[in-house]
């Protein structure tokens, strides 16, 4: 089993994360344990001291391996490429942060030399997280579900009202369109009637003079105005007669209606008298 060495002294830093890592004496593998985790031979004990030939062979293999390495990568980057812990010793301030050590343990496990206890939050962090959740999410799951249901219902109500408004606007637009077309048709008919009236006047005036007359002639214009006045008066007289005829017809209809009602009333009285005599 790898020999573990505990770091119990506090590093010269005021970082809370660094205190968390080193103040409590987190255990990390010793230099020899790194060799075991990474599959590298550890330093030999005095009883297992390698021979000179073995040392020469190892040095030669290291020299050949260095010659073969043409990537130009730094040792830490080369270790990352081979899924090995980048650095055995911590040399930068970021190496003493909780976040970095968590990441190292997540990637390399126990070979990273990080204690698994570092992955759990402290009591202060748990209290801060609870306080944050209490302030940020003050409602229970049932309350949140109820609020979301009310929001959904409100949204559906707004959409329904919008659809109803759009439908009403479409119907109103259709009515306005029909009214516009009706007015347009009336104007067209009035224009055609006016044109027909003018054409009729011109023909009558031409027949009056019994020869072709220039329409811009003053005498023609005067005759045209006079004939138009006569036709208008004639039209007014016809309208008055039609109105009188209509009033007369309405009066006659009302008179007939009154006669019918009187007759029905008389018949009803006779029937009531007859029924009284029978009794």
């Amino acid at each position: 089993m790898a020999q573990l060495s505990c770091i119990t002294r506090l590093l010269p830093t005021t970082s809370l994360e660094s205190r968390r890592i080193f103040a409590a004496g987190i255990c990390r593998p010793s230099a020899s344990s790194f060799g075991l985790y990474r599959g590298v031979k550890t330093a030999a004990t005095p009883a297992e001291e390698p021979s000179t030939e073995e040392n020469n062979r190892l040095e030669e293999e290291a020299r050949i391996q260095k010659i073969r390495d043409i990537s130009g990568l730094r040792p830490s980057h080369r270790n990352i490429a081979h899924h090995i812990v980048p650095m055995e010793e911590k040399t930068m301030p970021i190496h003493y942060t909780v976040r970095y050590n968590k990441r190292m343990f997540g990637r390399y496990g126990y070979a990273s030399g990080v204690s698994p206890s570092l992955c759990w939050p402290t009591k202060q962090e748990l209290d801060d997280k609870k306080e944050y959740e209490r302030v940020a999410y003050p409602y229970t799951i049932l309350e949140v579900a109820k609020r979301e249901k009310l929001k959904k219902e409100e949204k559906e109500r707004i959409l329904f009202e919008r659809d109803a408004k759009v439908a009403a606007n479409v119907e109103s637009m259709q009515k306005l369109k029909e009214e516009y077309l009706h007015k347009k048709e009336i104007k067209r008919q009035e224009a055609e009637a006016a044109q027909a009236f003018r054409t009729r006047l011109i023909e009558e005036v031409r027949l009056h003079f019994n020869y072709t007359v220039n329409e811009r002639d003053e005498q023609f214009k005067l005759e045209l105005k006079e004939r138009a006045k006569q036709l208008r008066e004639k039209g007014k007289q016809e309208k008055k007669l039609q109105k009188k005829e209509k009033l007369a017809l309405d009066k006659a209809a009302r008179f007939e209606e009154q006669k019918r009602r009187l007759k029905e009333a008389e018949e009803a009285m006779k029937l009531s008298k007859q029924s009284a005599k029978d009794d």
Side-chain angles (χ1 to χ4, degrees):
M1 181 175 181
Q3 299 292 329
L4 300 178
S5 61
C6 297
I7 302 174
T8 57
R9 62 186 181 84
L10 180 64
L11 292 180
T13 176
T14 59
S15 171
L16 179 62
E17 295 179 347
S18 300
R19 291 179 187 178
R20 181 179 172 188
I21 298 172
F22 295 102
I26 296 177
C27 294
R28 59 172 295 167
S30 63
S32 61
S33 64
F34 272 117
L36 290 175
Y37 285 127
R38 296 171 56 184
V40 180
K41 291 184 178 180
T42 59
T45 59
E48 298 176 353
E49 186 176 356
S51 61
T52 305
E53 294 180 357
E54 183 69 16
N55 288 334
N56 293 335
R57 186 179 66 79
L58 293 174
E59 290 177 358
E60 183 66 16
E61 288 181 357
R63 187 181 67 81
I64 293 172
Q65 186 65 25
K66 184 176 181 181
I67 294 172
R68 287 176 177 175
D69 184 15
I70 61 174
S71 64
L73 296 174
R74 294 181 180 181
S76 60
H77 295 162
R78 187 168 56 254
N79 289 343
I80 292 173
H82 291 84
H83 305 290
I84 303 173
V85 178
M87 296 182 181
E88 295 184 0
E89 298 295 333
K90 301 183 185 300
T91 58
M92 299 179 66
I94 194 173
H95 296 162
Y96 299 99
T97 61
V98 174
R99 182 176 180 182
Y100 175 82
N101 284 273
K102 283 182 177 180
R103 185 169 60 186
M104 289 296 102
F105 184 81
R107 289 182 179 177
Y108 307 106
Y110 287 100
S112 63
V114 178
S115 174
S117 63
L118 193 66
C119 300
W120 274 264
T122 62
K123 185 177 183 301
Q124 182 63 34
E125 291 174 348
L126 286 174
D127 293 340
D128 293 342
K129 184 66 175 177
K130 290 179 181 178
E131 181 65 17
Y132 171 79
E133 291 182 353
R134 185 185 66 80
V135 176
Y137 309 103
Y139 302 103
T140 63
I141 295 177
L142 293 177
E143 290 174 344
V144 171
K146 186 177 180 180
R147 286 165 61 88
E148 290 299 323
K149 184 179 179 181
L150 293 175
K151 286 182 181 179
K152 185 177 179 181
E153 291 176 353
E154 181 66 16
K155 186 177 179 180
E156 290 177 352
R157 184 186 64 79
I158 293 173
L159 290 176
F160 178 78
E161 290 179 354
R162 181 186 175 188
D163 293 342
K165 186 176 180 181
V166 169
N169 290 338
V170 169
E171 186 178 356
S172 177
M173 183 189 68
Q174 188 66 24
K175 291 181 180 179
L176 292 174
K177 183 178 178 181
E178 292 176 357
E179 291 178 0
Y180 167 75
L181 293 176
H182 180 65
K183 290 180 180 179
K184 187 176 180 181
E185 181 65 20
I186 290 174
K187 288 183 179 181
R188 186 187 65 79
Q189 292 176 2
E190 290 177 352
E192 289 180 355
Q195 184 64 29
F197 180 74
R198 180 175 175 79
T199 303
R200 177 186 172 188
L201 286 177
I202 292 172
E203 290 298 327
E204 289 183 357
V205 172
R206 283 178 179 173
L207 289 173
H208 174 73
F209 287 106
N210 202 16
Y211 60 89
T212 304
V213 183
N214 190 356
E215 295 182 4
R216 289 176 291 183
D217 188 59
E218 291 297 329
Q219 188 176 1
F220 181 84
K221 289 181 179 179
L222 291 173
E223 185 65 26
L224 191 65
K225 288 181 180 179
E226 186 65 25
R227 188 57 60 88
K229 184 177 179 181
Q230 292 175 5
L231 289 176
R232 289 195 188 97
E233 289 179 356
K234 185 178 179 181
K236 288 180 180 179
Q237 293 295 331
E238 290 177 355
K239 286 183 179 179
K240 287 181 180 179
L241 290 173
Q242 290 177 0
K243 188 176 180 180
K244 286 181 180 180
E245 291 177 357
K246 185 178 180 182
L247 290 174
L249 291 173
D250 292 342
K251 188 175 180 180
R254 287 197 299 270
F255 182 72
E256 291 293 334
E257 181 68 19
Q258 289 177 0
K259 284 176 64 177
R260 185 181 62 80
R261 289 180 179 178
L262 287 172
K263 187 176 180 180
E264 290 178 354
E266 289 176 357
E267 291 178 355
M269 288 178 66
K270 288 179 180 179
L271 290 174
S272 61
K273 289 178 179 179
Q274 186 68 30
S275 60
K277 288 179 181 180
D278 295 339
D279 294 339

